[in-house]
Amino acid sequence: MSERGAAVEIVGELIDIVGRGHVLTDPETNAGYRTDWTGRFHGHTDVVVRPANTAEVAAVLAVCHERGVPVVPQGGNTGLVGGSVPMHGELVLSTRRLDKIEHVDPVGRTLAAGAGVTVARVQQAAREHGLDIGVDLASRDSATLGGIVATNAGGVRVIKNGGTRAQLLGIEAVRSDGCVVTRWKELTKDNVGYDLPGLLAGSEGTLAVITRVLMRLVVPVPQTVVALVAVPSVDAALVLLDRVQRHGLRLEAAEFMTAAGVDLVCRHTGLRAPFGDDAPIYLLLEVPGAGEAENALSALFTDTVLDATLEAGPARTLWRYRERHTESISAESRTPAVKLDVSVPLRVLADFFTTLDSRLRDEHPDVRVICFGHIADGNVHVNVLDVPAEKQHAITDFVLRLVADHQGSISAEHGVGHAKAAWIELGRSANDIDTMKRIRAAFDPAGILNPHVLPR
Ligand code: FAD
Ligand code: MLT
Ligand code: ZN
């Protein structure tokens, strides 16, 4: 049976499980579930199902498994590689109704919530206890706990807390055959058997549907200083980063932008340019402390620093230059931006950056490239604007091969999805891919979970 027709055949069973109001078959109502945030991936589906809890997810998957209906799990649909979009008519299983915050334990510093709870709601719940989750990203108002686990999302706090996988204490998930797996110990140390939560982190909806998440909480620093620093090059930015850390100032965040990106954000948002003159590179640093830290930072801004401004955290205006990049690029590009989230070793970051810039200018003068990202992680968000549809593949191929030439990763934090599926051999050996396929076949022998994402 074609993937397209399969889901329609089970609408009756789905209604029996979740209720008529949560089986969406009307194309109008389904529209928001079919296209990704960037507008680049347009899928199609006959059915969106919205289960309310683990038991309903298990019952839905058991029917899909029995009838061979392919399923795309979807959280906030803010993913940037098309992994949450039904590109082949798959049934969409939306986790948005898994939206209960179960507990915040300020003593053990743990939080338990449904996979459909947004990052912002979880942050709010933790902050009511003077705590926080270790991940923060600009899509916080829509991105869900299940989604950040499934993509092993990074964000602006990786330099301090690690990515989403590092925050995980436990997970409840449903295999494609409807079997519920619960690994749920409110313990910092629990070393019994394989790390199932860690394995589901980054699995992009291909191994199981995550229904509940148990996360560790972090203690936020009471005060921070945020600095926006203009420097002449990536090398100068790395030298300054190193100097700040060697001085004993711990990094809460370290982001970079370029003149093209800051200029575009200012045009799109109406923000004033941060300094009188444009700078090749802007470094956005956040360190713990107040006056003393501010003086210590300023004292480090010597030789290569072109200009700088410092503010007490949260310094929302300074952060706005960085956080508004994604939406400004999306609004400004004449075609859906080709978004390539990559990482390279810091020692070759400057060379990658200059080679990318000069070769794109020479070989593809009709496109615009805007780079920004999490510099201390070596994570560059290469956004190529105004790319005609027929050139998307060539541009992606050029950038990802340049990353591979620099011993980098074709995906730093967004996952592979549909956007990079054709390039997974860049940096993953045949044995590595074969092992991933064997793990996937063990979890989902019927191959119904997100079948066109990651190797199968
Ligand atoms: P979706 O987009 O719905 O799904 C993403 C993937 O996870 C899909 O493959 C889907 O099948 C799977 N999935 C979703 N929920 C589940 C579940 N419960 N069980 C199993 N599989 C599931 N990402 C970063 O890493 N760092 C950033 O700094 C960052 N900033 C962003 C800023 C903006 C403005 C935007 C729009 C996006 C940004 N992202 C960033 C990308 C995106 O927010 C993350 O990838 C996020 O983790 C996606 O969460 P989601 O709930 O929207 O998942
Ligand atoms: C970010 O860091 O802002 C995100 O990863 C989003 C993007 O790459 O656009
Ligand atoms: Zn990012």
Side-chain angles (χ1 to χ4, degrees), residues 125-146:
R127 288 171 186 170
E128 281 164 12
H129 296 268
L131 299 169
D132 210 342
I133 60 167
V135 175
D136 188 22
L137 65 184
S139 50
R140 61 183 72 83
D141 291 329
S142 306
T144 64
L145 269 193

Side-chain angles (χ1 to χ4, degrees), residues 91-228:
L91 168 77
V92 173
L93 188 158
S94 170
T95 63
R96 291 186 195 190
R97 292 183 63 214
L98 304 176
D99 62 358
K100 304 274 176 302
I101 294 187
E102 296 174 24
H103 84 244
V104 178
D105 167 8
V107 178
R109 293 185 190 151
T110 66
L111 175 143
V117 177
T118 63
V119 170
R121 270 193 64 213
V122 159
Q123 287 174 328
Q124 189 197 356
R127 288 171 186 170
E128 281 164 12
H129 296 268
L131 299 169
D132 210 342
I133 60 167
V135 175
D136 188 22
L137 65 184
S139 50
R140 61 183 72 83
D141 291 329
S142 306
T144 64
L145 269 193
I148 65 169
V149 173
T151 57
N152 186 29
V156 297
R157 301 293 177 201
V158 168
I159 181 66
K160 181 185 176 195
N161 300 318
T164 300
R165 181 178 288 123
Q167 318 310 318
L168 272 182
L169 291 177
I171 206 137
E172 184 159 277
V174 185
R175 288 190 333 228
S176 63
D177 59 0
C179 169
V180 177
V181 181
T182 306
R183 174 71 72 87
W184 202 269
K185 296 267 186 210
E186 295 176 37
L187 301 169
T188 305
K189 291 184 163 178
D190 169 21
N191 214 5
V192 179
Y194 298 142
D195 176 11
L196 291 185
L199 185 60
L200 292 186
S203 58
E204 297 189 57
T206 63
L207 296 183
V209 176
I210 299 155
T211 57
R212 297 169 61 221
V213 179
L214 179 64
M215 282 198 137
R216 71 183 184 98
L217 294 175
V218 297
V219 183
V221 291
Q223 291 172 303
T224 64
V225 176
V226 179
L228 183 65

Side-chain angles (χ1 to χ4, degrees), residues 11 14 28 81 112 117 137 153 158 174 180 194 204 206 233 257 263 340 355 369 384 410 429 452:
V11 164
L14 296 176
E28 283 301 300
V81 289
V117 177
L137 65 184
V158 168
V174 185
V180 177
Y194 298 142
E204 297 189 57
T206 63
S233 67
M257 304 166 272
D263 175 51
L340 298 168
T355 311
V369 59
V384 191
I410 65 165
S429 70
H452 301 277

Side-chain angles (χ1 to χ4, degrees), residues 80 322 326 339 372 374 381 413-414:
L80 295 171
R322 167 62 182 85
T326 306
K339 297 179 73 70
F372 63 99
H374 320 281
H381 291 313
E413 56 178 18
H414 294 169

